[in-house]
Amino acid sequence: MNKACSLILGVMILALIIGLGGFLRRIAPSTAVRSSESNDAVKAAAGMPARFGSIPLIAHAKAPAQPTALDTLAAQMSRETDDLKVVTHPDGRRSVHLAGRFIHMSAIATGADGNPEVQCFSDYQELSTSLQGTASDEASPIRHDR
Amino acid sequence: MKPHPFAMIVNINRLLIAALLMADLCAAEFIFINNDGPGEGLNDTTPAAPVGGNLGTTLGAQRLAILNYVGEIWGSFLVSDVPIVVNVGFDALGSNVLAGAAAVSEQADFPNAPESNTWYPIALANALAGVDLEPGVGDINITASSNGAFYYGLDSASPGGMANFVDVLLHEVGHGLGFASFINGQTGNLFIGKVDIFSTFILDRQYESSWANLTSAERVASALNDPYLVWDGAFTTAGLPQVLTAQPSSVIGFQLTATLSGPVTQFMPIAEAAFGPSIPNSGLTGELAITSPAAACAAITNSADLAGKIAFIRRGDCNFDDKVYRAQLAGATAVVIANNVDTNVVIIAGGDSNVDEIPVTISIPTVMVSEEDGDLLLAASPGVQLSFAPIVSEYIGAYANQLRLYAPFGFESGSSVSHWTTDASPNLLMEPIINPSLDRQLDMTLTQMKDIGWTVIDIPYPHLTYESWQSLVFEPTDTLIGPDNDLDFDGVSNLEEYFFGNNPKLSDAVNLPVFQFTSGQGDLVFTRSKLTTDLSYVMDKSTTLDSFEPAVEGVDYQILSTVDLSGEDAEKITLRLLTPPPTLFLRLRITASPIG
């Protein structure tokens, strides 16, 4: 066997070992278990009863996405009125609860001259579009004049 | 008081001293409800160093201090027997999102509502009704970003990259108090079938109609109709010269008038092109000439018809500057491009300054008109005369001396209609761009609040005309409300009551002008309202009462002192007589001229 063949064989054996390792990892408990064990250790250290035993390999349904703060903001800036109810009071007064909507929201956005400035928006899409044009990680001087 | 040889007379036109109209007014109290959970927002215990007069030592404490400060500022001007309850919550909205606010509810046809069938924000409705119409619910919602880039000082010294939380909240609370149109910007529809009180003051000077009387489609178009969209409130208009910078020669746009066959004249909205020169400030007139080909996307074949005239070109098929350049080569003085899209609005033409990939210079002005107006021009041609007249404003940010609203054409960041124009000078609190150089006396926002029905005290600039005062002090059922009438029969005409800051419905003689004789000097002392923008006074003199002549300041009298009466919207003026003759009659004459 020449050196080249030895090298190829060596590479094949190494690949087999790596592949076997991957297979073994797939049949072994998941990292979630280790995480769970870690949690148990934390609980034990805190004097709480730790949970022991094997963790069944079941698929966990993904939790429904929670509305983000920006989702909530979009709802607050909504101008939707279809589901708002007019209440007529005995004295003839009429009222509409706005359900937390119709908020005007200010944000640091990019002005017409490219500089950041504080703008007030009544439309969430406009706010969102303007924010996309604003570098959030780099604080730039806010424009102080027009 | 020792009798003095000088007599003081009451002239036809008036002389009296002011009895100030001092009702028992209750400044509005703001109550902030903390809706944050432990450790967040107002409960954030993160240590913070006191800054800019804010002595809070945690983030939460500093935020609360600013809310209270903002409440104090607004509360120092607004009058309400009902506390204004503000729900406050902080969320992690990101560093660039700041804070916002809105009314919690809208109310109509409540007790003492000035206008029926009209929506009012709950805080204002409570103030007008004198009771809390929706107890336990709150009046304004504030949402703020817990990780927003805020400066928490109470002063205006925001460093670069940070927004001044005081200014942001002053602005946003203004929306919650009533600086907000509830008309749908996309559809132009009223809010649940009724107009809101803010929108009743929106006036389109091109339509010459209030938004309340426009159709939905017209309101959509009007929302883009800068510079014609204005605030039609009497107090704001009267106070405008006291706040905005005067600039008599300021041209803010051009009014296109087309003289069609008949002759019929027609006003047409225009948008100036973003390329080439603007219409000269002196305006532009000329005869319209139609190009051939109509879209001017190839060399113009009727140059002889166009020379010295305003070219009419249809939109489409090639770039705007291509069309204009070809008309320019043909000798046109200007170009009107007619839109080919059936909308009520016209678009702003842009160009790349290249024709057939060769750089060119456009040297004639270009405007665009709507498709509908283009059809009118085309149908009436030839013989159509066009006139572009300059629109001149005496004040920066006004149109025909009314404060403009923000109505940019097409998309621009910020919020249209529910803000003042960004052209105003000085910068105003309720512009869509919240500048740190704002006047925390709330500038024109105070008169706007007064226009929609708030009782506002201590507005720091004159803002009354006789007509606006009349609407304030008289009831619809009152008669004898003219300037020469005397409703309370106390010998003081309504105009005099207005001038001196008196109550025209209370017969009172306690504050007649006082002639004081002190140490050999004669002084005339009177108090006058500081709120009048349309009146002034002059002194006349006479030795015989047969005739009067103007008394000369510095010769016959001098103004010894003018003292502001704090909190009373009035000033006390002392005039000293100089070198008086043995007998002198002095007359204080109210004149219909702007305040000096």
Side-chain angles (χ1 to χ4, degrees), chain B residues 191-261:
Chain B
F191 176 73
I192 315 186
K194 298 186 207 310
V195 71
D196 59 273
I197 186 63
F198 181 93
S199 298
T200 65
F201 288 92
I202 302 175
L203 174 68
D204 190 308
R205 296 303 305 267
Q206 198 158 43
Y207 287 98
E208 284 300 346
S209 177
S210 159
W211 264 29
N213 299 323
L214 293 180
T215 65
S216 294
E218 287 170 336
R219 282 190 286 266
V220 171
S222 179
L224 310 175
N225 205 12
D226 190 52
Y228 300 103
L229 203 65
V230 301
W231 180 258
D232 192 27
F235 299 119
T236 298
T237 298
L240 181 147
Q242 318 297 325
V243 177
L244 294 189
T245 304
Q247 190 173 348
S249 60
S250 173
V251 174
I252 60 172
F254 295 90
Q255 171 88 57
L256 170 57
T257 306
T259 304
L260 309 173
S261 54

Side-chain angles (χ1 to χ4, degrees), chain A residues 25-40:
Chain A
R25 275 199 297 277
R26 279 198 293 277
I27 64 172
S30 71
T31 54
V33 174
R34 291 200 297 272
S35 175
S36 175
E37 288 169 347
S38 174
N39 286 343
D40 287 344

Side-chain angles (χ1 to χ4, degrees), chain B residues 284-472:
Chain B
L284 180 70
T285 59
E287 184 181 346
L288 193 69
I290 300 166
T291 61
S292 179
C297 290
I300 288 175
T301 58
N302 62 335
S303 296
D305 296 336
L306 261 61
K309 297 178 182 173
I310 299 171
F312 177 90
I313 304 175
R314 274 289 178 194
R315 181 187 177 192
D317 299 334
C318 59
N319 288 340
F320 292 116
D321 51 358
D322 291 14
K323 300 169 185 283
V324 176
Y325 185 65
R326 293 187 180 106
Q328 179 178 308
L329 289 179
T333 58
V335 171
V336 172
I337 295 178
N339 202 351
N340 61 356
V341 179
D342 182 18
T343 63
N344 286 327
V345 296
V346 290
I347 69 164
I348 298 174
D352 61 3
S353 301
N354 284 283
V355 175
D356 298 330
E357 299 182 357
I358 299 171
V360 298
T361 300
I362 302 296
S363 57
I364 57 176
T366 304
V367 302
M368 180 166 275
V369 297
S370 69
E371 183 181 41
E372 182 183 1
D373 287 338
D375 289 343
L376 284 174
L377 294 172
L378 199 59
S381 293
V384 173
Q385 293 288 329
L386 298 184
S387 169
F388 296 89
I391 301 168
V392 179
S393 173
E394 291 187 26
Y395 302 98
I396 301 176
Y399 172 87
N401 297 335
Q402 287 183 300
L403 187 50
R404 286 158 50 206
L405 292 164
Y406 187 56
F409 185 88
F411 173 81
E412 283 195 26
S413 294
S415 167
S416 296
V417 180
S418 293
H419 289 109
W420 299 130
T421 174
T422 54
D423 289 345
S425 176
N427 291 322
L428 301 176
L429 173 66
M430 296 310 290
E431 291 182 33
I433 298 170
I434 306 173
N435 275 282
S437 57
L438 295 172
D439 172 14
R440 289 183 176 169
Q441 297 290 295
L442 307 185
D443 53 63
M444 301 303 292
T445 314
L446 295 179
T447 47
Q448 181 273 336
M449 291 288 160
K450 197 162 182 170
D451 284 328
I452 64 173
W454 281 101
T455 297
V456 188
I457 53 176
D458 289 339
I459 296 180
Y461 49 87
H463 57 276
L464 288 184
T465 61
Y466 183 79
E467 287 72 24
S468 56
W469 175 82
Q470 200 178 35
S471 68
L472 273 182

Side-chain angles (χ1 to χ4, degrees), chain B residues 549-564:
Chain B
E549 60 180 304
V552 179
E553 184 179 352
V555 176
D556 299 306
Y557 72 93
Q558 67 178 25
I559 299 176
L560 196 62
S561 64
T562 301
V563 179
D564 276 354

Side-chain angles (χ1 to χ4, degrees), chain B residues 79-82 84 112 122-131 133 453-455:
Chain B
V79 173
S80 179
D81 291 335
V82 183
I84 297 168
N112 301 324
I122 176 70
L124 173 55
N126 285 344
L128 290 165
V131 296
L133 297 168
W454 281 101
T455 297

Side-chain angles (χ1 to χ4, degrees), chain B residues 480 485-492 494 497 504-508:
Chain B
L480 301 176
N485 296 137
D486 178 10
L487 182 63
D488 53 8
F489 300 106
D490 61 357
V492 185
N494 292 335
E497 307 262 23
K505 303 180 77 171
L506 180 65
S507 180
D508 50 359

